[in-house]
Structure formats: C-alpha cells, structure tokens
Amino acid sequence: MCTGINRSRESMGKPMSFDSELIKGMRFFDPHIHMVSRTTDDYQAMYDAGIIGIIEPAFWTGQPRTGIDTFKDYYSSLIGWERFRSSQFGIRHFCTMGLNSREANNEPLAEAVMELLPKFIHKEGVLGIGEIGFDDQTELEEKYYRLQLELAKEADLPVQVHTPHRDKTQGTSRSMDIAIEHGLDPKMVIIDHNTEETVKEVLERGFWAAFTIYPFTKMGNERMVEIVKEYGPERIMVNSAADWGISDPLAVPKTAALMLQHGIDKKDIEKVTFHNAIEAFSITGDLSISLFEEDPEIDQNEKFAGNSILRGGQMPKVDKESIIIK
Amino acid sequence: MSGCTEDLKKIIQSYITEEEYSSLLRLKNKQNEKGIVGFDLRFAKIRRALKRSTQTLIVNEKETCENKLIIENWDILRLTRVWFISLLSSYQKEEYCQALDELFEFADVKELVALYSSLSLIPFPEYALKRCEEGIRGNIGAVHEAIMENNRFPVNHLDQTVWNQMVLKAFFTDKNVLNIQGLFDAMNASLARAAKDYILERNAANRSIHPVLWVLAQNELNNERILSVFQRELKNSDDEFKKYCLSYTLHHNAFLKENIKQDYPNITGIQPTLNEIKNFYR
C-alpha cells in the first residue's frame, strides 16, 4: 500500500546493486502483484529478471468504488485486458477474485459484489478467492470474510488471505481461527503479508505462509533471508504485492539473489520463489509446473498484437539506454 | 441452424472421450430443464468438462455449418463453446440477446474468442453487428483475430466505413490480412485512399510497407510521390509474395505502367490473379 513515510537517504543505508547475473537462468513466480497499477516497463523488467508467471489478486484500487459496475469492469479486466497485456511480455497471468476488506465496509455495495462474484470464480485462470480478510477488523469485514470462505469451500477453491497492517498478530490468528471454524483445510489457505511475529503460528497450524517484500511498510528482503534460514523453505512463498504505492515488481528475483548471496541452498530458493506458490494455487488445474515446460506457442490464448506466437524475448524491445526512439 | 449444431457435435465427439462427452451432455441437458436461465454459468463450466489435454487439441474444418464457419486452428474448447452458443438459436430475440449480453459481459479472453467466432451463427444480425463493431473497437489481439481472420461475418454485414476501419486495423496490428474473408471483393475507393496514405506514412517513417497495401491502393496510385515509393519497392523486392503484389498492382494501374520505364522482368513476368495472391501461402 501507499505510504506517506519519508525516509532520509542516510537512514536507508548503502544501496547494494542488483546483480542479475546471479539469478540468470532461474525462473520466478510472483503470487501476489497488482499489475493493473504497473506499466509495460515493469512487465519487460520482470520478464528480463526471470518472472514467467504471476497472480493478480483482486484488490482495493486506491479510490473507493461507489458502484457495482466498477467492480464488474475491474473483475472483467483481470480475466481480459490485463491477462492479454501480460501475455505480450511472455508472462502467464492468473488472478484471484474477491471482495477486499476495506470495501467490505460498504454494506450495500458488498452485498451486490457477493452476487457478482459467482459469475467470475469459474473463469479460466481464476485460481482462488482473494485477497480477502481483515483491515480494520470490523464486524462487516468479518461478515464478508466468512461469506467468501463459504464461497471458496463450495467452489473448492483456495483462499488468499490479506492480514491487517494494524494489530497484525492478533488479526492473523483470528483469520486462521475463522477459516478453521468454516471447515477449510489449512492447505487451501494462503496467509499473506506475514512477519517474524506471525510466521511460527501460521506454519505450525499447517497454513501456507506468504511474505510480501515491500519497502517501508511490509517485509524487507534481508529479514526474509533470516526467516528462510530459521524456518526452511516448506510452505513459504515470497511475493512483491507491487501496486500503485512505492513498491518493487522485482522483489521476488531480488530476494532470490540476496538469498544466494547469503548462502541459502538454490533448491530452497526455488521453492520459496517458484514451486511452493504454484503448488498452493494448483487446485483448479489451470496452474501447474508442467505448464511452464510447454511450448508457449501451443496456447492459442496467448497471442499478442496479431501473431499466434508468444515469445517474450522476441517482443519488440525499447532500448532504454538510447535517446533515439525508433 | 440445427444442421450446424449437429455438424459441430459430430466434430467435437470425434475428438473427445466418452466421459467428457457425457459431462458436456449433462450441461447441455440442463437447458431442457432450466431453459435459458443460468446459461452463462453452464457456459463457464464447459472447460471443466474437458481435460486440459483435450481442450488444446487443434481442429481444422474448412467448410461447416452451411459455410458459415471456417474452422482453422481452433482448439476443441473454442469449438465446444461455439457449439453451445449454437444451441441457443431457437430462443426468441429478447431472451436470446439477454443471454448473449450476459456471456459477453462476463467472458474471459478465450470465451470472447468463441463468442466472436460465432457471429455468423447469431440469428439476429443487427445484434451481432453491434457486438462485432464493439469487438473491433477493443484492444485484445485474440478478439481481433477471431473477428478479422477466417470469419465471414464482417464482409457480409459491416457497412463500408466500419469495414474499412477493420481492414486498416488489421494492418496496424499485424494480422494475417490474407485471412480476412472478402478482402479483395470489398475493395473500395475510400479504402484505396486510406491505403495509399498509409503507404506514404510508413515510407516517411522508414518502416516496411505491407505488399497487400499496394493491391488495395491500386486505383489511387496516380502522382509522382507515390510513384517514387513504388519504384523503390520494385528495386527492393527480393520477397516472392511482394513480387506478386507489386506485379498485380503494376498491371492494373495505367499511371504506373506509363511512368515506369525500366523493365523488371522478374516482376512483370508474373502477372498473378487476386486469387493467387490470396492463396499464396496456402
């Protein structure tokens, strides 16, 4: 999320350059990124850094929505235009659908969204219900969190749970308690935005633990390195949650590079930056490791501007170093 | 239309397993119980009835559904969705259009491709026309391709202004323009002028000129400026297809014939027909 915090350069320490050579040849999957807020430059940089798949959870778009049609158009864009945009850069785009916690507080609108959601959750590439959960931890947030857990259960879909910024530790425990109360298998629930304070309980209770590398307000990746050192790679995944705030769409590959520099085993890094997320979201069958082994030309959906080919590397590339624009 | 539905069913059946076919029939039979209500949800569940490995099987059927469809490189999922859309054709206009509105409004990219592939099967052309124009105006490459390539609806129904916009957009978005059905049958003066302007614009930008543009612009090539571009293209025509297009244009334009003094035997000797140009890559 966006932040008004202004850090002085001095307090940020000495910048360390991103040596992309370190991660050359590695593949990454970012299971939480809001590309609707990002540019084509980001897509190109992500592809260049090895990101070949992403999940875009439905979220709050910054300006509160006042009518149901804007939700409908937003959900449609997640399975339409945004997916096409991503395919132009050789990145497979998936999404999760849900009513975010902030907007759950507008009850009449939330009711209308709940009627709309079933029309979208069975579409291709919709891998689960998300991101849902608590923000201010109000009664209405709880009501719509519970209703969406039921929706996920009925549709046999995993759930991507946003945990609150404020009163996080207690809010995270409560999110898990409610999921269990509704009979969800912890293996079907991805608890997101974890910290050092929440990870132990999340893992012990059998849930997936996702970590968001997001400057200033969520995790830093040096802390992430320590978490993987302490807890190992099982059921842990890293994401960027990059959006319209000061965030970094390369957070996953950068974190992998930092982990390599700190001596974490490459196989473990691959788990937390690629395999685990794919496994957690593979329930619908739309996402699997084998998908990334396929020749992308086979997939007729992934067409860009006219040619039935998807080879991100062959997309016309703008030379950013040159002042000449052809 | 029932003949078309039957045709599609037979093709689909020959590609999928019995189990998959039974799942599809279960979805289809809900139509008998529930009518058109909830069709959008059944449509969304079609892909769940087919294994992923089946969904991506490729079908080629040149002439089917009384020649209304050209099935070229379609996957089975697309064909199955078109089959389901064809099942709706017996409904009254109001119910039918309402059901299709629902499908269009909530469709993902592949569902949109199936919907636009079905334009010729929609029994209410004025409704299909509105959808077709909307699809052309959009930005999604796969949707454009479903409308522009191997689809007879545009040439049969679009008015000239929209048709010309579609053809130009096909060039701008690098479509395989030879797959535009009726491209050479529906040539017109307005399109010729736009094609000529586009040639000059590409030339000014030092970008390559699609050879088919010359064919479309043939009746507008009548001044020194365009002559010099054409001559430069003649000198740089090592591509066989380009030679075909330039040769055709030269033979059908008196101004060019009169003003080009140098002989280009490897081009003028070809004299292709429009049909040969259209089928060059087939």
Side-chain angles (χ1 to χ4, degrees), chain A residues 62-124:
Chain A
Q63 178 72 31
R65 280 170 277 216
T66 57
I68 188 65
D69 284 350
T70 58
F71 272 97
K72 189 178 83 178
D73 293 342
Y74 173 62
Y75 292 150
S76 291
S77 76
L78 294 183
I79 55 172
W81 174 241
E82 285 305 316
R83 183 158 306 159
F84 167 68
R85 224 161 67 88
S86 179
S87 74
Q88 290 181 291
F89 294 88
I91 296 176
R92 288 189 190 263
H93 179 284
F94 302 91
C95 65
T96 54
M97 289 281 180
L99 170 66
N100 65 87
S101 47
R102 281 168 195 254
E103 284 168 309
N105 290 302
N106 179 345
E107 195 170 17
L109 193 52
E111 282 301 317
V113 173
M114 288 308 298
E115 279 181 38
L116 193 62
L117 279 174
K119 288 184 180 292
F120 286 101
I121 60 174
H122 294 295
K123 299 293 178 184
E124 178 150 15

Side-chain angles (χ1 to χ4, degrees), chain A residues 72 119 123-124 286 291 305, chain B residues 40 102 105-106 111 173:
Chain A
K72 189 178 83 178
K119 288 184 180 292
K123 299 293 178 184
E124 178 150 15
D286 286 350
L291 188 69
Chain B
D40 59 331
E102 288 264 303
E105 276 178 41
F106 298 102
E111 288 174 336
T173 56

